[in-house]
Amino acid sequence: MPEDSQAFVAEWKGKPLDAIVEHVRDGTTLRVRLLMPDGEHQIVNIALAGVRSPRASTKQGEPSEPWGEEARFFTESRLLQRPVRVVILSLPTSTAIPFQTGPNAAAPPPASIFIGSVLHPAGNVAEFLVAAGLARVVDWHAGMLASGGGMERLRAAEKSAKERRACLYANVPAAPTNVKANGTTSNGHSKSFDASVVRVWSGDQISVIEKDSGKERRLQLSSTRGPKLSDPKQAYYAQEAKEFLRKKLIGKHVKITIDFVRPREGDFEERECATVHYGGQNANVAEQLIEKGLASIVRHKRDDEDRSSEYDKLIAAEQSAVAETRGIHSGKEVSPPKQPLNISETATRATQFLNGFKRLGKIPAIVEYVAAGSRFKIYLPKDNQTLTLVLAGIRAPRSGRNPSDKGEPYGTEAAEYALKRCMQRDAEFEVDTVDKSGGFIGSLYINKENFALSLIREGLATVHSYSAEGLSWVRQLTDAEAEAKKARLNIWSDYDEETEKAEVEVDTSETGALATDYLDVIISDVRTKPAFGFSVQILNTEGIASLEKLMRDFSIHHQSPIAAPPGFVPKGGDLVSAKFSDGSWYRAKIRRASPIKKEAEVTFIDYGNQDTVAFSNIRPLDPRFRSLPGQAHEARLSFVKLVDTESEYHQDAVERFRLFCEGRKLIANIDHKEGSILHLRLIDPENPVVATDPFACINADLLADGFASIDRKGCRYLASYPQVVKKLQDSVLSAKRDRLGIFEFGDVEEDD
């Protein structure tokens, strides 16, 4: 034997050497004399690669294993004292066990036997032994035989011997019936099919949607075992394996071959085990996973046919990973990944991130979970954070929370559509605001497409008029909804345009006309973000008179510096004193606060202005200034809405409203109350037309100038004011006739 067996293998691995067989120990173990090119002879022991025969007796009285003597005779009669060619392939090595191999393993002791192939002029003797049923295939040699197709030839020989039930295979059980001859599995499903991957459960399990039937099937990668997330030593690699599958497969077209069906056992459900190919190269994803050291192979029992159809390739991939000490075979202890920070845990925490998200615009992320058609759990890998995202401007029907909860009609369909399109996808999101439970309200983009629009187009959500009003893409939402209605998709399957119009007209209990009540008001603030709105003070009331006295006392109170109490931190909903940009102090209410930035968004409750104020300019409101209610009332125009923010006329419309109203004393009639928001018809007392036309108002003037449109969706009380509506319609016709504002180039009024 060579003194340095490792060096000998390194030098002669894969190179054919002339040799003479001097002794046959058993069918697959030989002693040969190697005739080296330099003229020297080397006596070595060879174990045939890829096969193992039964043990034959070497001592008198020692019993042989069944078929051991026959196997030895088979080899002796063909090879003993005959010239052959020997290919050295490897040294015996112990089977690698993931997570139990240290990074600095001790050097192996000198070997007494080599693994290789012995080639007779008629071919590889190992293949003939297996075909005769006198040797079994050794799975763990697949790696060294994979490159030349040697393992495939051994498998073919083994299959032939089993079919003939030759020698060792005489009592082999019949082939499993998991896969039937008609191309279906034992559970009646297709054996081979095309599909799309919709979910990655772990490093070795995925869910796919079958292309032809649309049925979802959960699959286990055949003969593959992923690291366990529950084991701290394996948790890092478990996450890496799952992420590898997500990047490679999610949303992709794949070809599935069901190798076998693992029956239900204890708490484990029946599971289909499959080989998954993807991409133009038709790559086996399990092979790639194992080769990167992100999974190990399952050691099957001898003659166990329930295994991957490409099992030998998986073995070769694992041996490559072991040789290169990749992943789970590296012996390195990697700390388990940290739990992501849930920034939607509370509204207070979410608010701290709001302004930062707004500044960033579209933020790359991963959709980690689909809770409902319009509600998602988003993961930010860069910051290791999660958040809840609710789609703005739409409402998807609620899906059932458990099997007994049926949810709303089409709620399940909306959730399933979102799951298929969004689950675990790379995405982008934008944030508009935060809800009271800490969820972020905004937009989700999948492949650059706004997913809210997709839901609306499919008839799986409706436009939420109030929240959609301030969105730049509200027109796209309403157009998509109109298309879904026209096609009668899902939610709109029973849609009747005439019935909808009738419903608007007959519902007067909630949207009926209010008694005429003219008030003197002044517009105290005009806002354009997030949507157009304004605030009014109602004049000639005790409140306004009290406000004048209060502000005098308030000004005197703040003439001398007032220090904030130690540890004072403003919180959402607090009544405070806040310094406005004019340097004066006013009563205000905290809308949201950021302890990180030490600033708060406030609303000045007596004037309606909104501003962001530093904590240093905020003080607790003295109790003596708390009794008077805020004198500013949030309001909007009755019956009409200004042109959309996307329109080139929007800025002109806002300026025209300011010209008509800002800082002026007007007369207002409350036509509707929406919570605390007043829907007002504004009247200019200096306009001479008012004396002769009882329905003349600034609302109609804005329509006549082409800077507004009738709001049929947002003002469902329209039918209760038929005479006012007639005036408004005449104003629109006037704008169209004179080609004013949005009608400059024709009739472009929204068809709603």
Side-chain angles (χ1 to χ4, degrees):
M1 288 290 292
E3 293 181 3
D4 189 343
S5 51
Q6 291 280 356
F8 186 81
V9 170
E11 182 179 359
W12 297 104
K13 182 177 181 180
K15 300 175 182 178
L17 295 170
D18 290 329
I20 296 175
V21 178
E22 295 201 340
H23 177 67
V24 178
R25 180 178 178 180
D26 58 42
T28 53
T29 308
L30 320 173
R31 183 185 301 122
V32 303
R33 179 185 297 273
L34 298 178
L35 309 178
M36 307 303 292
D38 58 5
E40 290 188 4
H41 291 192
Q42 289 277 8
I43 303 296
V44 298
N45 295 320
I46 296 288
L48 297 184
V51 297
R52 182 184 179 279
S53 65
R55 183 178 55 81
S57 172
T58 57
K59 298 177 183 178
Q60 191 171 359
E62 182 182 56
S64 300
E65 293 180 347
W67 302 103
E69 293 297 335
E70 289 82 351
R72 179 162 63 182
F73 177 76
F74 183 95
T75 304
E76 279 183 343
S77 62
R78 287 162 177 79
L79 300 184
L80 187 61
Q81 301 301 327
R82 296 190 183 182
V84 294
R85 302 272 281 175
V86 172
V87 181
I88 303 294
L89 296 175
S90 179
L91 291 170
T93 55
S94 58
T95 303
I97 301 176
F99 304 107
Q100 294 186 10
T101 304
N104 300 312
S112 60
I113 193 169
F114 294 95
I115 299 173
S117 298
V118 176
L119 307 178
H120 184 273
N124 188 340
V125 68
E127 296 171 17
F128 290 99
L129 270 169
V130 174
L134 295 172
R136 296 182 184 275
V137 176
V138 176
D139 294 333
W140 310 116
H141 290 179
M144 61 184 77
L145 294 171
S147 59
M151 208 65 185
E152 286 81 352
R153 291 191 292 273
L154 289 177
R155 294 292 185 193
E158 181 185 51
K159 182 179 179 182
S160 171
K162 286 182 177 180
E163 289 174 351
R164 291 182 287 106
R165 295 188 174 275
C167 302
L168 288 171
Y169 301 104
N171 299 317
V172 171
T177 57
N178 279 326
V179 179
K180 299 178 182 178
N182 63 357
T184 62
T185 61
S186 59
N187 55 14
H189 295 160
S190 303
K191 176 185 181 296
S192 298
F193 56 93
D194 291 347
S196 295
V197 180
V198 293
R199 187 166 186 175
V200 175
W201 294 92
S202 64
D204 55 15
Q205 284 191 24
I206 62 174
S207 282
V208 301
I209 298 291
E210 194 173 345
K211 184 179 179 180
D212 293 336
S213 67
K215 198 176 296 181
E216 182 173 340
R217 296 166 72 169
R218 184 167 173 172
L219 307 175
Q220 168 82 36
L221 298 181
S222 295
S223 304
T224 305
R225 179 178 289 115
K228 295 180 180 178
L229 190 62
S230 57
D231 185 342
K233 288 185 178 181
Q234 303 183 39
Y236 170 80
Y237 294 108
Q239 193 174 71
E240 288 292 299
K242 184 178 179 181
E243 179 63 7
F244 177 85
L245 290 182
R246 188 193 73 81
K247 287 182 176 179
K248 292 289 184 183
L249 299 183
I250 203 72
K252 303 288 177 59
H253 172 80
V254 294
K255 293 182 180 296
I256 305 294
T257 302
I258 303 297
D259 296 313
F260 59 96
V261 179
R262 190 175 66 198
R264 182 187 180 112
E265 186 176 344
D267 295 333
F268 296 98
E269 297 289 331
E270 179 184 87
R271 183 77 69 236
E272 293 179 308
C273 298
T275 297
V276 179
H277 292 96
Y278 76 99
Q281 302 297 321
N282 204 33
N284 182 347
V285 75
E287 183 181 355
Q288 292 184 334
L289 195 69
I290 292 170
E291 191 172 21
K292 286 187 173 292
L294 297 176
S296 59
I297 58 174
V298 176
R299 273 72 176 168
H300 292 288
K301 296 178 181 179
R302 190 174 69 186
D303 296 326
D304 181 4
E305 297 296 332
D306 286 347
R307 60 175 67 189
S308 169
S309 54
E310 299 183 8
Y311 190 61
D312 296 330
K313 292 183 179 179
L314 301 187
I315 294 172
E318 184 173 66
Q319 290 177 353
S320 172
V322 171
E324 299 292 334
T325 62
R326 301 189 196 110
I328 59 179
H329 308 291
S330 66
K332 298 176 182 177
E333 289 192 12
V334 185
S335 301
K338 293 182 179 179
Q339 193 72 13
L341 174 67
N342 180 9
I343 60 179
S344 289
E345 188 173 11
T346 64
T348 303
R349 178 182 288 181
T351 301
Q352 298 172 8
F353 292 85
L354 180 60
N355 287 336
F357 284 157
K358 283 185 173 181
R359 284 195 297 270
L360 290 172
K362 290 184 179 179
I363 304 168
I366 298 170
V367 180
E368 187 170 276
Y369 183 70
V370 176
S374 59
R375 193 175 186 88
F376 307 88
K377 183 179 180 182
I378 304 296
Y379 175 59
L380 284 68
K382 184 178 177 181
D383 303 309
N384 196 33
Q385 297 170 343
T386 60
L387 59 88
T388 299
L389 180 69
V390 182
L391 299 185
I394 69 168
R395 183 188 180 280
R398 182 180 63 81
S399 56
R401 293 185 175 89
N402 51 61
S404 62
D405 182 7
K406 294 183 178 179
E408 297 175 347
Y410 293 99
T412 301
E413 289 83 350
E416 288 179 351
Y417 178 78
L419 188 142
K420 292 176 184 178
R421 292 286 306 277
C422 303
M423 185 69 178
Q424 295 179 321
R425 302 291 183 96
D426 289 320
E428 292 179 310
F429 73 97
E430 282 183 309
V431 166
D432 298 322
T433 186
V434 174
D435 63 24
K436 60 184 179 181
S437 64
F440 290 86
I441 300 174
S443 311
L444 179 67
Y445 298 89
I446 304 293
N447 295 328
K448 307 296 182 183
E449 182 183 4
N450 189 330
F451 186 66
L453 287 172
S454 299
L455 280 170
I456 293 291
R457 287 194 191 99
E458 293 293 325
L460 294 171
T462 57
V463 177
H464 188 257
S465 301
Y466 180 70
S467 63
E469 192 68 37
L471 300 175
S472 60
W473 34 277
V474 60
R475 174 65 68 86
Q476 298 175 48
L477 283 176
T478 54
D479 289 348
E481 186 176 63
E483 292 174 10
K485 286 180 177 179
K486 187 176 181 181
R488 299 181 185 274
L489 295 175
N490 295 313
I491 291 174
W492 309 110
S493 57
D494 299 324
Y495 172 70
D496 184 353
E497 187 175 359
E498 296 301 322
T499 302
E500 184 183 54
K501 290 180 179 178
E503 286 177 354
V504 172
E505 294 173 1
V506 302
D507 186 7
T508 58
S509 61
E510 187 175 332
T511 61
L514 300 181
T516 302
D517 184 14
Y518 293 115
L519 305 169
D520 292 325
V521 300
I522 186 168
I523 308 296
S524 58
D525 180 58
V526 178
R527 297 177 297 280
T528 57
K529 293 182 179 180
F532 175 76
F534 58 94
S535 296
V536 300
Q537 288 180 337
I538 301 176
L539 306 177
N540 303 323
T541 63
E542 292 183 4
I544 290 296
S546 301
L547 178 63
E548 293 175 358
K549 180 179 183 304
L550 181 144
M551 289 309 300
R552 286 195 297 269
D553 296 340
F554 200 68
S555 178
I556 295 170
H557 176 70
H558 280 282
Q559 280 180 354
S560 56
I562 301 173
F568 170 66
V569 178
K571 297 178 182 177
D574 287 354
L575 286 176
V576 297
S577 298
K579 184 184 284 188
F580 189 51
S581 54
D582 64 359
S584 300
W585 292 80
Y586 299 91
R587 298 193 304 165
K589 186 174 184 177
I590 303 292
R591 295 175 62 219
R592 54 181 67 88
S594 173
I596 295 175
K597 297 181 180 178
K598 297 190 180 302
E599 62 183 27
E601 294 179 30
V602 304
T603 299
F604 294 95
I605 62 175
D606 296 312
Y607 300 91
N609 312 61
Q610 296 178 355
D611 201 359
T612 300
V613 182
F615 282 2
S616 58
N617 290 328
I618 298 176
R619 302 288 184 271
L621 186 62
D622 192 283
R624 58 190 164 131
F625 299 117
R626 288 176 174 266
S627 58
L628 181 67
Q631 295 302 297
H633 302 271
E634 190 176 355
R636 62 154 290 177
L637 292 169
S638 300
F639 313 117
V640 305
K641 59 180 179 180
L642 292 193
V643 293
D644 191 80
T645 53
E646 288 185 341
S647 171
E648 60 182 298
Y649 300 97
H650 178 72
Q651 189 59 40
D652 292 338
V654 174
E655 292 303 320
R656 185 62 56 91
F657 179 83
R658 291 183 187 275
L659 179 67
F660 283 155
C661 305
E662 194 169 30
R664 299 182 59 198
K665 291 184 179 180
L666 302 172
I667 297 171
N669 183 67
I670 302 174
D671 295 308
H672 183 68
K673 292 182 180 179
E674 184 182 343
S676 61
I677 301 175
L678 305 179
H679 290 231
L680 300 180
R681 197 181 337 156
L682 299 175
I683 302 166
D684 183 358
E686 298 179 6
N687 185 355
V689 178
V690 172
T692 56
D693 185 353
F695 302 110
C697 57
I698 291 173
N699 309 49
D701 293 342
L702 288 167
L703 289 173
D705 289 338
F707 289 132
S709 59
I710 298 175
D711 188 5
R712 300 185 186 279
K713 288 188 177 180
C715 303
R716 299 180 69 87
Y717 48 85
L718 273 169
S720 300
Y721 296 87
Q723 292 175 302
V724 177
V725 172
K726 180 65 170 62
K727 171 67 178 178
L728 300 178
Q729 291 172 337
D730 290 343
S731 298
V732 172
L733 291 174
S734 173
K736 290 180 179 179
R737 183 180 62 249
D738 297 336
R739 294 188 177 277
L740 298 178
I742 59 175
F743 303 108
E744 181 179 359
F745 300 106
D747 185 356
V748 295
E749 187 182 24
E750 295 181 13
D751 185 17
D752 57 359

